[in-house]
Amino acid sequence: MSKLVDTLVSKRDDMLLFTLSLFIAWLLFGQVQVGMEPGKEREFEAPLAVTNLSDDISILQAPGFVRVVASGSAQVLDSLETTRVRAVVDLSEAKPGIGRYRIEVVGPMRPGLTLSAARTTAEIELEERLRKSFEVQLITVGTPPGNYTYNGVTMLPSKVEVSGPRTNVGRVRSVRAVLDLTSIAPNRTVEAEVEALGDEGRPVPLISIDPAGVQILPAILIGPSRRNLLVTPVFAGQPAVGYRVTGYEVSPNQIATVGESEEVSRVTTVNTRPIDLSGLRTDRTFRIQLVLPPGIETVEGDEVVVSVRVSKA
C-alpha cells in the first residue's frame, strides 16, 4: 500500500513539473514573439550618385533614381528618414560604352534595419569627355532706367570652357549670357549665368561650363530724359462778326522732347505761339511754332499744324 502511494505521489509531481515546464515555455515563446515582430518592408526611390568617375569620361545616360527596399519592424520603418538614403555606383573601373554597375545603398545605420536596391545593378552609358572653348555672346534685354544710355560692356571672362560627353559638346553652337538693361546702374557689376545653346537656340543637356557665370560691367552714359508732351494750341483774337470756331485739330498732338530729368518731369504739355483768329470767316490751317519750357528741346522739329474750323453763328 505504501509503495502504491509513493508511486501516485511521484506521478503527480511529474505531472506538475511537466505542466510548469509548458507554462514557462509558453511565456518564453510569447516574449520572443514580442521581441521578434514579423518583418515588414517599405519601398521608396533614392537618388543615384556615382563615385570615382574619371575626368576623361562623362555620363551620357543614367537613371536619376533607383528603387530601394527597406526591411525591418514597423517601428523602425516608420522612423526611417528616406531623404538620408541614397544609392551609389562606383565607376572607378568604368569605360566608355553601355555597362551595368553594382548598386550600393547607403543610409542610416540602425539595428534591425536592412536597406537594399530592388535591382542590384544600374545600366549606365558613358562616353569620352570632350572639352572646348567658346567666346561668350552677350544678349541684352529691356531698356535702361531713367536717363541712362547703354554703351557696351566689359565682360570677364570673355571665353569659357564647355565640357561633357563628346556627342553633346558637338551639338553646342554658341555660349550665351543675358544682360537685363533694366537693372543696370553706374559702377554696378552684374553677374550673369552662362548657358550652352544648340540648334534653334535650345539648351544642350549634360554640359558643364567653367566658369558657370561671367562678371559684366556695363558702360553707361547719363543723358537727357525723353518725354512726350501734349500740344495745347493758344488762340488770340475773334472770328468775324457772325462767325464762331466750331473745332480744331493739332498734328501731331504730341511732341517728343528731351531735357534734364528734373525739368522734363515738371511738365506734361507744351503750348503753341498765339494763333490769330481775328476776322476769320472760313476754315484755315496754321503752321505754328511751339513755345518750349526752359531746358527742354524737341527731338524732331518745333512746329505743328493746327486746322481751325469756322462756321456762321
Side-chain angles (χ1 to χ4, degrees):
M1 182 68 179
S2 174
K3 189 175 183 180
L4 178 59
V5 171
D6 291 341
T7 301
L8 291 175
V9 170
S10 177
K11 288 185 176 181
R12 184 191 64 185
D13 292 341
D14 290 343
M15 184 62 68
L16 288 174
L17 182 60
F18 176 72
T19 302
L20 182 60
S21 298
L22 286 177
F23 179 71
I24 292 174
W26 179 79
L27 288 177
L28 291 174
F29 178 76
Q31 293 208 353
V32 170
Q33 288 296 98
V34 171
M36 297 178 59
E37 182 182 344
K40 296 181 180 294
E41 289 187 347
R42 178 182 177 186
E43 292 192 9
F44 56 91
E45 287 191 335
L48 179 65
V50 299
T51 60
N52 302 318
L53 179 63
S54 169
D55 291 338
D56 298 324
I57 298 177
S58 287
I59 298 175
L60 188 61
Q61 189 171 0
F65 295 85
V66 298
R67 201 75 178 166
V68 171
V69 180
S71 302
S73 66
Q75 182 180 2
V76 169
L77 295 181
D78 289 343
S79 62
L80 174 62
E81 298 180 34
T82 58
T83 55
R84 297 177 58 192
V85 179
R86 62 191 181 102
V88 180
V89 170
D90 183 1
L91 297 181
S92 57
E93 302 296 328
K95 297 180 180 180
I98 299 176
R100 300 200 69 88
Y101 301 90
R102 183 174 180 80
I103 300 172
E104 179 182 355
V105 179
V106 179
M109 302 295 292
R110 187 171 302 172
L113 175 64
T114 302
L115 297 171
S116 60
R119 293 185 178 181
T120 57
T121 60
E123 183 176 280
I124 299 177
E125 184 176 1
L126 304 174
E127 193 173 73
E128 177 188 357
R129 176 180 288 273
L130 180 65
R131 295 175 175 82
K132 191 174 180 180
S133 293
F134 283 85
E135 292 284 346
V136 179
Q137 298 180 4
L138 183 65
I139 305 296
T140 60
V141 296
T143 303
N147 58 348
Y148 295 156
T149 300
Y150 171 69
N151 193 38
V153 298
T154 299
M155 182 170 59
L156 294 173
S158 61
K159 183 179 290 187
V160 296
E161 182 183 79
V162 169
S163 63
R166 174 179 289 275
T167 300
N168 292 48
V169 173
R171 292 166 51 193
V172 177
R173 299 290 177 263
S174 64
V175 172
R176 182 182 72 181
V178 178
L179 172 62
D180 183 0
L181 295 180
T182 63
S183 63
I184 66 173
N187 302 318
R188 177 188 295 175
T189 300
V190 180
E191 295 186 7
E193 184 180 355
V194 180
E195 57 181 347
L197 305 177
D199 294 333
E200 300 180 358
R202 296 177 179 176
V204 179
L206 304 179
I207 291 295
S208 297
I209 302 177
D210 185 26
V214 292
Q215 303 289 320
I216 301 173
L217 180 60
I220 299 174
L221 299 179
I222 301 178
S225 296
R226 299 172 63 100
R227 189 171 189 179
N228 287 341
L229 301 180
L230 186 66
V231 177
T232 302
V234 176
F235 298 108
Q238 296 294 327
V241 177
Y243 290 84
R244 63 186 178 88
V245 175
T246 57
Y248 64 86
E249 291 182 0
V250 181
S251 180
N253 65 345
Q254 293 187 59
I255 198 77
T257 63
V258 295
E260 294 298 326
S261 298
E262 185 176 352
E263 298 296 332
V264 171
S265 64
R266 292 176 180 174
V267 294
T268 58
T269 63
V270 58
N271 293 336
T272 66
R273 290 187 179 277
I275 301 172
D276 188 6
L277 302 181
S278 299
L280 200 63
R281 297 173 180 271
T282 60
D283 296 350
R284 186 173 174 183
T285 298
F286 301 86
R287 180 174 290 276
I288 197 74
Q289 197 171 26
L290 299 171
V291 180
L292 295 169
I296 297 178
E297 298 178 355
T298 60
V299 176
E300 294 182 3
D302 61 352
E303 290 185 340
V304 295
V305 174
V306 179
S307 300
V308 180
R309 296 189 298 275
V310 176
S311 63
K312 287 186 177 183

